[in-house]
Amino acid sequence: MREIVIGGAQMGPIQKADSRAAVVARMIALLDRGADGGCDLVVFPELCLTTFFPRWMMEDQAEVDRWFEREMPNGATEPLFARARERGIAISFGYAELTPEGRHFNTSILTDRTGAIVGKYRKVHLPGHAEYDPDRAFQHLEKRYFEPGDLGFRVWRNMDAWMGMCICNDRRWPETYRVMGLQGAELITLGYNTPSVNSQMSDEGPEQRLYHSELSMKAGAYQNSAWVVGVAKAGDEDGHPLLGGSVIVDPNGFVVARAETEADELIVHACDMDACTFGKETIFDFKRHRRIEHYGRICSQTGVEHPGD
Amino acid sequence: MREIVIGGAQMGPIQKADSRAAVVARMIALLDRGADGGCDLVVFPELCLTTFFPRWMMEDQAEVDRWFEREMPNGATEPLFARARERGIAISFGYAELTPEGRHFNTSILTDRTGAIVGKYRKVHLPGHAEYDPDRAFQHLEKRYFEPGDLGFRVWRNMDAWMGMCICNDRRWPETYRVMGLQGAELITLGYNTPSVNSQMSDEGPEQRLYHSELSMKAGAYQNSAWVVGVAKAGDEDGHPLLGGSVIVDPNGFVVARAETEADELIVHACDMDACTFGKETIFDFKRHRRIEHYGRICSQTGVEHPGD
């Protein structure tokens, strides 16, 4: 048994006016709750230091850059790292990253129990659009404010397990899980900010969107025999509702813990990394069963090509 | 609206002693039921002309070859093709194929409304093992009796829609759906023979196995915005129970029809191919969102490689 007690630290809404200090205080409270509950690792959402700013159209780059972090840890987040170190808990969380070269990424990091960053991931599958779209009920400008991640999907050895990360919309793409599964991922953590309504189809409400979110994570877990921990930022941000539904999914594709609120809420499960072994050695023993000679289009072709095109 | 009324013709058990003529008579009865119900296309299971013979260890190749078809249509199946032609219904079904060169495949075919074969698929992801395994509760010798399919995952234009096929264990692999999705698949049909218990883990019973089957098909449908029709051979074959649970899944990943028995049973749904369009043009617009520069391992690497290996 290689048990890692994992806390999924769902966060309620963060308003535009909320300071990073106020947000970090909430994260520390969740971390403490996790530590008191025996957690080894606490996972926070995507872009969890601020409101989900890509819903706002901004023309002024200086205004955009206000939402980004220039280093990590920094002054605002150092108290979180310090508390994690003090309590001996690994953490993962997402933030908007502005590099010294001026590049913008939607990023997440993973630490070990000493607060040292052992892994960094930059979101590959950016949803939404780059220009103002008058036909949408609201904007989703991730393609405007970020460039696609340049680090790929990696896994790291941490706490005696193979851990990988992805972010939000990445979870809908089976390629995400598979690239990590091919590196032996036993745990995949992700945060998300998912609007409760589809900006392009108003009658697609929260139930259907929760179903899609969970369906994708359950399939990714089962088909790679890995734990998947998906953590939401939820609730009403300045009039824009975000889905909750944070879950911990076991390597069989079953939900073992699920958030019940749209507020700050910790879900906890003792995850045995050895539970990944049976699937990886039988039905999803990739070495014996995968047939890469027939997968070529997945890597060589981005969009649809009909036969005869 | 491009509506195709699809019948999923689940079949109850076929015993070793059952003749092909008896099986084809059952298929014709299901086809007639479909025709009476307005079906445009009727989908039958994998290897539906015989019992699921890979559960039996056979040393004598002549005994193995008894379960194979040397041409299609042939004498046994011609009455099925004739009835389909007569009623103007397209069909798809699976059978064991022995080629003139002596090659063995687990194959399915798709016809148009005139009974002409417009597509052939040979199963790529063969589950199980090639040698007798004394540690299993029963045998699953697909890797012994078949070679992996050599035709890849194709789609065909049929009845004003893009249609593809896969077979049984293929449905658990997201690569299957994606390769067809990249060719614009709007409908993916598949048949299966899935034992109700895991031969290597006796406490994994039918509920969990139905869940996995459905989870994979729902994710494949949603993530490629395509209809998926999965049709079982079900019930007790000479003491070996097979799962039922045939389903029609819509391009949103929701089950719209599900078999309730483990016998010959027709499930029917009027499937609008235009229902695929919204997903294909928004969240799963591959051209805008896929990032093939990070998918390389999927096509270049068969088994797991841990970092530093």
Side-chain angles (χ1 to χ4, degrees), chain B residues 38-101:
Chain B
C39 286
D40 302 299
L41 166 66
V42 172
V43 180
F44 296 92
E46 174 194 32
L47 297 176
C48 74
L49 302 176
T50 68
T51 196
F52 186 65
F53 64 84
R55 73 168 69 89
W56 306 108
M57 179 67 190
M58 294 172 276
E59 307 265 17
D60 172 8
Q61 190 60 39
E63 185 187 353
V64 174
D65 288 350
R66 226 165 32 97
W67 302 105
F68 283 73
E69 315 300 317
R70 283 170 173 77
E71 49 189 1
M72 189 56 61
N74 56 19
T77 57
E78 181 47 45
L80 173 69
F81 281 80
R83 185 68 59 92
R85 200 159 42 230
E86 178 191 326
R87 306 214 56 166
I89 293 184
I91 58 173
S92 178
F93 68 88
Y95 63 98
E97 178 189 15
L98 177 52
T99 74
E101 300 76 29

Side-chain angles (χ1 to χ4, degrees), chain A residues 137-191:
Chain A
F138 52 90
Q139 302 299 297
H140 198 119
L141 291 157
E142 287 193 59
K143 286 196 198 290
R144 181 181 191 87
Y145 300 134
F146 302 109
E147 60 179 292
D150 61 347
L151 302 175
F153 298 101
R154 299 179 56 196
V155 308
W156 299 272
R157 191 76 186 172
N158 194 25
M159 306 165 83
D160 202 22
W162 293 108
M163 299 186 183
M165 290 181 275
C166 66
I167 297 178
C168 195
N169 180 51
D170 287 320
R171 75 192 185 285
R172 303 182 194 276
W173 298 85
E175 292 89 346
T176 297
Y177 305 92
R178 186 61 101 227
V179 173
M180 289 188 270
L182 283 164
Q183 298 167 79
E186 296 168 317
L187 170 64
I188 294 170
T189 64
L190 66 101

Side-chain angles (χ1 to χ4, degrees), chain B residues 272-283:
Chain B
D272 179 8
M273 296 297 124
D274 285 341
C276 303
T277 307
F278 180 75
K280 288 183 190 292
E281 290 185 351
T282 60
I283 195 165

